[in-house]
Amino acid sequence: MIAAAPVPAAEPVAAPIVQVRGVTKTYAGNVEALSGVTLDFPEGRLTTLLGPSGCGKTTLLKIIAGLIPASGGEVMVAGRKVTGPGPERAFVFQDFALMPWASVIRNVAFGLELRGVPKAEREAAAERHIARVGLKGFELKYPHELSGGMRQRVGLARALAVDAKVLLMDEPFSAVDEQTRRKFQEDMLELVANERKTFIFVTHSIEEAVYVSDRIVILSRRPSRVSAIVEPRIPRGGDPELIRRHPAYLDAVESIWQGLKKYLD
Ligand SMILES: Nc1ncnc2c1ncn2[C@@H]1O[C@H](COP(=O)(O)OP(=O)(O)OP(=O)(O)O)[C@@H](O)[C@H]1O
Ligand SMILES: [Mg+2]
């Protein structure tokens, strides 16, 4: 057994772009999902939310996205209070949320269409992002003609196409096989290294969280609050194959497991 307790968080090196202040959420029927979540998300970093199923991870992402209101507290993005969705934030949904009646290219271009970007321009951008996620040749297919993993890539391409500063990703790799998932994880590392985007990522996989993240936030059981923050001290930017072999990788996996275990029945 290695480190038993979660490593205390160090001061984030980058300024926070997303600030969550005392956010609570109670759904109709008195379901209390979040009970006072306060968190900073540093710019240009990847932060992962981990927590027991049903603890409120999707709820928190949706509140940051402005898709649903908080019951209390507030969210600031780039210094502005969130009151609804905005072009600086893009959401990759747990269930893809593709439009079944629209082709791949139209799905990917949809965010740009909403913003009134002319057709030729938005389709050119969509084509670039479709190629980037490895779906070149599938532009005119419809979601039902794709596998789960391919649909997930369409969702990712759609989020990338709008060129948002903050990408909110709700279990974006949950529906793909292990090999594809590893490839996606490597792609994520590359995206984080090459673009100054801020990623807020949700996964159920401790290993995936440690592999891709600069910071991992452990949420408690519902009604959720921040239980611990783990920052794996793994050097990034080198050979991604070395990450899983780094001693700090194993330490972080163990810390997180210890942090989550107490929420299991
Ligand atoms: N629209 C809604 N109306 C009422 N209750 C809801 C609604 N959406 C979510 N909840 C409840 O809020 C709690 C948190 O749900 P949420 O989807 O945020 O959890 P989660 O952490 O994303 O779970 P999972 O890991 O299974 O995806 C759950 O108890 C859920 O039943
Ligand atoms: Mg969820």
Side-chain angles (χ1 to χ4, degrees):
M1 174 108 39
I2 315 167
V7 181
E11 280 299 305
V13 290
I17 183 167
V18 177
Q19 296 168 294
V20 175
R21 294 280 168 267
V23 164
T24 61
K25 178 70 183 177
T26 306
Y27 284 109
N30 226 11
V31 178
E32 202 186 351
L34 304 173
S35 72
V37 173
T38 294
L39 260 177
D40 278 350
F41 295 91
E43 188 163 18
R45 308 273 293 271
L46 191 150
T47 303
T48 291
L49 306 175
L50 259 179
S53 186
C55 76
K57 302 177 292 296
T58 298
T59 300
L60 181 56
L61 278 194
K62 284 185 176 166
I63 291 172
I64 296 172
L67 296 173
I68 57 170
S71 308
E74 61 179 19
V75 176
M76 311 284 287
V77 175
R80 286 216 202 114
K81 191 176 163 163
V82 167
T83 52
E88 74 291 350
R89 285 158 287 148
F91 202 112
V92 181
F93 291 90
Q94 201 165 0
D95 54 3
F96 329 123
L98 301 180
M99 302 176 291
W101 39 265
S103 62
V104 165
I105 192 159
R106 179 128 194 248
N107 266 288
V108 173
F110 186 61
L112 300 173
E113 188 178 336
L114 286 181
R115 278 190 217 168
V117 175
K119 191 163 188 236
E121 199 181 313
R122 68 181 188 247
E123 292 201 338
E127 272 172 17
R128 266 199 323 277
H129 289 285
I130 289 167
R132 188 172 180 186
V133 299
L135 286 179
K136 201 168 168 45
F138 291 89
E139 291 83 354
L140 300 179
K141 299 280 184 206
Y142 285 79
H144 74 268
E145 298 175 280
L146 306 177
S147 71
M150 291 161 96
R151 275 180 241 163
Q152 219 144 25
R153 287 168 197 235
V154 176
L156 184 60
R158 182 177 53 188
L160 292 172
V162 296
D163 203 22
K165 277 194 192 140
V166 179
L167 279 151
L168 303 157
M169 307 179 87
D170 196 1
E171 301 191 43
F173 311 148
S174 57
V176 301
D177 60 83
E178 181 64 24
Q179 295 97 298
T180 310
R181 192 166 179 145
R182 284 203 175 206
K183 173 75 178 65
F184 278 6
Q185 291 167 358
E186 279 190 13
D187 293 349
M188 281 285 291
L189 287 179
E190 230 180 271
L191 271 178
V192 177
N194 297 337
E195 318 227 355
R196 271 202 68 75
K197 291 189 189 299
T198 305
F199 291 84
I200 306 179
F201 185 79
V202 171
T203 179
H204 276 283
S205 162
I206 299 175
E207 283 81 8
E208 177 167 284
V210 178
Y211 183 73
V212 299
S213 319
D214 301 307
R215 306 168 77 223
I216 296 126
V217 175
I218 301 176
L219 295 170
S220 70
R221 228 187 340 230
R222 188 175 71 78
S224 212
R225 49 176 57 247
V226 176
S227 166
I229 297 179
V230 176
E231 297 196 339
R233 310 263 188 262
I234 304 170
R236 307 274 174 185
D239 181 355
E241 294 298 329
L242 298 179
I243 295 176
R244 290 189 183 85
R245 292 186 226 153
H246 197 281
Y249 173 87
L250 297 172
D251 283 355
V253 167
E254 180 60 24
S255 291
I256 294 167
W257 169 233
Q258 294 303 329
L260 283 171
K261 208 169 157 180
K262 59 178 178 283
Y263 298 121
L264 299 174
D265 289 326

